[in-house]
Amino acid sequence: YFNSLGYRGPEHFKTPDISVFGSSFSFGVGIDFSCCWHQQLGDYKVNCYSPAGILVTNDDILENFKKTKIESGMVILQLREFRYNKSILYIPNNLHVFVIDEHTHPDILTFTWSSFVDKAEDNTHPGVETHKLWAQKIKQQFGL
């Protein structure tokens, strides 16, 4: 199901604890929304602004963040392979960031393809168990 803004999930909170921006990996293609990593972070009000579009770039993710003008809570950006960047990324310092990429990045929390312990129904996106694992690591990394 989709909310009135066109994002997957319930209506967004006016004052969220956490706002998530990402790609189809955060949208949760092929799994129930309640199983997405961001829905497993704990007892937080979480808004997810992640489309399921093909080839959503990191530039698109940052633009989506900028246009929403989030005013409260923590912001988590889920980036994807840096090879899809259209330009150099300038990420504000107050954001929490991780990347899903085929290569590891020493200065950023990275989930590589080998971190997929299962796959979703489409056999491409991460499955329920992978989302659980990611949620645990993200909670540790960002102090949740």
Side-chain angles (χ1 to χ4, degrees), residues 38 51 90 108 117 141:
H38 44 79
Y90 295 101
I108 187 170
V117 294
Q141 180 75 23

Side-chain angles (χ1 to χ4, degrees), residues 27-137:
F27 177 89
V29 170
I31 65 171
D32 188 79
F33 187 74
S34 65
C35 296
C36 291
W37 66 265
H38 44 79
Q39 298 303 301
Q40 300 181 53
L41 295 178
D43 192 22
Y44 296 101
K45 296 182 288 184
V46 179
N47 290 345
C48 183
Y49 298 86
S50 297
I54 296 175
L55 290 182
V56 170
T57 67
N58 292 330
D59 303 87
D60 298 330
I61 292 167
L62 276 170
E63 281 303 311
N64 194 19
F65 161 69
K66 289 175 187 174
K67 78 177 181 181
T68 57
K69 300 178 180 169
I70 301 297
E71 296 181 8
S72 68
M74 174 188 285
V75 173
I76 300 176
L77 294 183
Q78 172 261 297
L79 300 178
R80 53 174 300 165
E81 305 94 327
F82 289 121
R83 65 184 165 136
Y84 293 121
N85 292 2
K86 295 177 188 172
S87 58
I88 295 173
L89 298 178
Y90 295 101
I91 301 170
N93 290 333
N94 61 333
L95 305 184
H96 295 77
V97 180
F98 73 95
V99 65
I100 301 168
D101 199 341
E102 59 193 320
H103 305 288
T104 57
H105 302 279
D107 298 332
I108 187 170
L109 176 62
T110 305
F111 296 115
T112 62
W113 305 131
S114 63
S115 75
F116 289 30
V117 294
D118 66 339
K119 292 189 178 176
E121 291 177 14
D122 69 348
N123 206 32
T124 302
H125 287 83
V128 172
E129 294 304 314
T130 301
H131 277 262
K132 282 182 189 175
L133 176 69
W134 289 356
Q136 292 170 355
K137 291 188 179 185

